[in-house]
Amino acid sequence: MIRLHDTLARAKREFVPADPKRITMYVCGPTVYGRAHIGNARPAVVFDLLRRVLEHAFPEADVIYARNVTDVDDKIIASAEEEDVDTAVITERYERHYLEDMGALGVNPPTIAPHATHEIGPMIAMIETLVARGHAYAAEGHVLFSVPSDPEYGVLSKRDREQMIAGARVEVAPYKRDPADFVLWKPSPDTVVGWDSPWGRGRPGWHIECSAMIRAHLGETIDIHGGGLDLIFPHHENEIAQSRCAHGGAPLARYWVHNGFVDMGAEKMSKSLGNIVTPGELLEAGHKGEVLRLALLSGHYRQPLPWTTSLMAQSKAILDGLYRKAGGAGAGEIDDGVMEALYDDLNTPLALSRLGQIADATTLKATANFLGILLESEKAWFRGGGDGSEVDARIEERNAAKKARDFATADRIRDELKAEGILLEDGPGGTTWRRA
Ligand SMILES: [Zn+2]
């Protein structure tokens, strides 16, 4: 039995899919205008793990995991203007980076990756439905969702009206009937990306894309909707309102799962605060993807995760230990104790502590692989980056020197390699090496 903390219920609930053969999960994906930071990588890793756990718990079911790509947005338009390029140049570049970075962190591609710019039709159709049902109105080229038209608005964030208006940082605009109303569609001048619509040439607001893409790809009501804590309000609150009002009251999601922030010092890591660390720069600096993945899973997903260099060092040391212990073992059975911890609202701290206690190498290997780590061979792991051919060439040189009884040269090569952090081990099968 899987239990998940549901933000809507403010409680852990047993997860029972609506259809045992088809489990649907949607997670709000990246807005592709810059490199993802570690805070953005956390939901990608957490929901990748949740998907694996669902597939393990429901082997008979198709787990359909959709993660969208927001490729039309004011920040994308601003970046494109700054570089004087088409918005597609920006979005394609940063989507590619995102997929590479997440791939290095062991995040498998989602089942479906809908792009906002390919889904304008379904968005316009949903906005038309909302207008027809009296939940939205057109004004000065905009279409706005009428918050007072939805008596259940605020159900997820449980904010009162004053907090909602303050939290949404909504612009006061003359075309709004109510200050809490939010934009579904806005006009685009000729110089900016836009699409024809019943309200003139324009582009969608951010919130409508998720509601429309969920409807188009997964259905009116999905099992799990996920994302970072910062999306609860206003984004997910608005998604709920749009979808429920467009679908005659059907709820958008049966479980709402939110991950906590990654903190830098005492602050949340965020682009606007300028305190970000990106997986891209950490990978380039020689940190391995598995180290970053383990670091991101080391804390419980709902708690804030302080990002420090010692967290990465600890994760590296844990992985070194696990690689030594697993040695060259093949993958056996997945450990029940680890799965039990994961089934309980993805308790990764407990799961990882149990992983460390597994005595059997094949069980350790299989369980670690399930978590997305220990995927390299022990040899490749300790050799670090690169293919090591340069080191092999110098070992050959040393072997030749030894054969020629030139021990001074042989020792010199060994010492030089040691100074570079490469340790040689002479054994009966020849010389092997690893990075210190
Ligand atoms: Zn969303």
Side-chain angles (χ1 to χ4, degrees):
M1 173 175 98
I2 294 182
R3 283 153 57 83
L4 288 175
H5 184 273
D6 176 13
T7 309
L8 198 57
R10 300 288 193 275
K12 266 201 249 182
R13 294 171 53 214
E14 180 184 351
F15 175 71
V16 183
D19 175 352
K21 294 273 181 219
R22 183 175 180 269
I23 297 174
T24 49
M25 177 162 83
Y26 182 93
V27 174
C28 299
T31 300
V32 281
Y33 72 103
R35 288 300 280 264
H37 58 71
I38 281 289
N40 305 136
R42 192 177 194 190
V45 169
V46 163
F47 290 100
D48 176 74
L49 181 62
L50 177 55
R51 174 214 219 163
R52 293 170 192 233
V53 170
L54 292 169
E55 284 170 343
H56 184 271
F58 300 94
E60 305 290 304
D62 274 336
V63 176
I64 303 171
Y65 172 26
R67 187 185 66 203
N68 67 310
V69 177
T70 300
D71 58 355
V72 53
D73 175 271
D74 289 353
K75 292 187 284 274
I76 295 170
I77 294 168
S79 293
E81 279 172 0
E82 211 169 283
E83 290 192 29
D84 197 20
V85 293
D86 198 77
T87 50
V89 174
I90 301 290
T91 57
E92 280 164 21
R93 180 198 304 157
Y94 290 110
E95 183 181 356
R96 195 176 62 242
H97 280 309
Y98 182 82
L99 294 175
E100 282 167 5
D101 292 346
M102 296 311 123
L105 269 55
V107 174
N108 292 324
T111 325
I112 312 170
H115 288 61
T117 55
H118 301 172
E119 312 268 344
I120 302 295
M123 291 188 223
I124 290 175
M126 187 174 268
I127 297 171
E128 286 184 303
T129 304
L130 289 168
V131 171
R133 294 191 171 190
H135 290 292
Y137 58 94
E140 295 181 29
H142 294 70
V143 184
L144 292 119
F145 184 89
S146 166
V147 168
S149 79
D150 176 14
E152 288 183 46
Y153 190 85
V155 67
L156 182 70
S157 59
K158 299 191 173 39
R159 291 184 184 215
D160 66 27
R161 206 182 136 75
E162 294 308 308
Q163 287 174 313
M164 280 194 285
I165 293 168
R169 282 168 292 179
V170 287
E171 307 166 54
V172 179
Y175 47 80
K176 281 188 184 177
R177 290 183 192 162
D178 186 284
D181 293 351
F182 58 89
V183 169
L184 301 172
W185 187 263
K186 57 185 162 188
S188 281
D190 288 342
T191 50
V192 166
V193 63
W195 292 263
D196 290 330
S197 82
W199 316 285
R201 188 173 177 279
R203 60 190 193 276
W206 172 36
H207 314 298
I208 193 70
E209 81 175 62
C210 292
S211 285
M213 295 194 289
I214 289 170
R215 174 69 189 85
H217 293 276
L218 302 176
E220 287 189 359
T221 301
I222 56 173
D223 287 311
I224 299 170
H225 194 314
L229 211 56
D230 50 336
L231 298 183
I232 294 175
F233 189 83
H235 183 55
H236 289 167
E237 196 73 77
N238 292 354
E239 282 188 35
I240 287 177
Q242 294 162 161
S243 294
R244 197 188 40 233
C245 291
H247 300 146
L252 175 56
R254 301 172 58 249
Y255 298 82
W256 285 87
V257 180
H258 291 100
N259 66 273
F261 297 135
V262 175
D263 294 336
M264 274 297 262
E267 288 172 320
K268 168 197 167 191
M269 189 183 290
S270 86
K271 224 167 208 165
S272 56
L273 292 170
N275 61 355
I276 60 167
V277 176
T278 68
E281 65 200 17
L282 293 171
L283 293 164
E284 273 156 37
H287 295 283
K288 293 211 163 206
E290 288 191 12
V291 170
L292 306 184
R293 183 179 178 95
L294 185 66
L296 285 169
L297 293 176
S298 63
H300 190 268
Y301 78 90
R302 294 180 56 217
Q303 299 302 320
L305 179 72
W307 191 262
T308 59
T309 45
S310 71
L311 173 67
M312 283 187 285
Q314 273 167 28
S315 302
K316 169 75 167 62
I318 290 168
L319 281 163
D320 284 351
L322 295 174
Y323 268 104
R324 283 201 189 91
K325 207 161 147 186
E333 299 282 317
I334 295 175
D335 182 74
D336 289 339
V338 169
M339 289 315 300
E340 193 190 3
L342 294 175
Y343 278 22
D344 184 14
D345 196 30
L346 290 189
N347 188 344
T348 52
L350 181 60
L352 292 171
S353 108
R354 288 181 177 171
L355 181 76
Q357 290 157 14
I358 296 173
D360 176 67
T362 63
T363 307
L364 172 61
K365 176 91 172 161
T367 311
N369 287 174
F370 177 85
L371 291 162
I373 53 174
L374 247 57
L375 294 166
E376 294 186 23
S377 71
E378 186 193 10
K379 210 167 158 187
W381 176 261
F382 287 107
R383 283 182 173 196
D387 65 358
S389 58
E390 210 177 294
V391 179
D392 291 338
R394 291 171 73 190
I395 289 173
E396 280 306 305
E397 214 182 303
R398 176 170 169 264
N399 288 344
K402 278 206 293 194
K403 213 168 169 186
R405 306 193 69 77
D406 179 0
F407 296 112
T409 300
D411 289 349
R412 179 176 54 76
I413 292 170
R414 190 195 56 214
D415 292 345
E416 282 170 1
L417 286 169
K418 191 176 171 190
E420 292 168 25
I422 289 155
L423 303 180
L424 302 188
E425 279 159 15
D426 292 317
T431 305
T432 59
W433 63 273
R434 63 183 174 88
R435 289 193 200 275

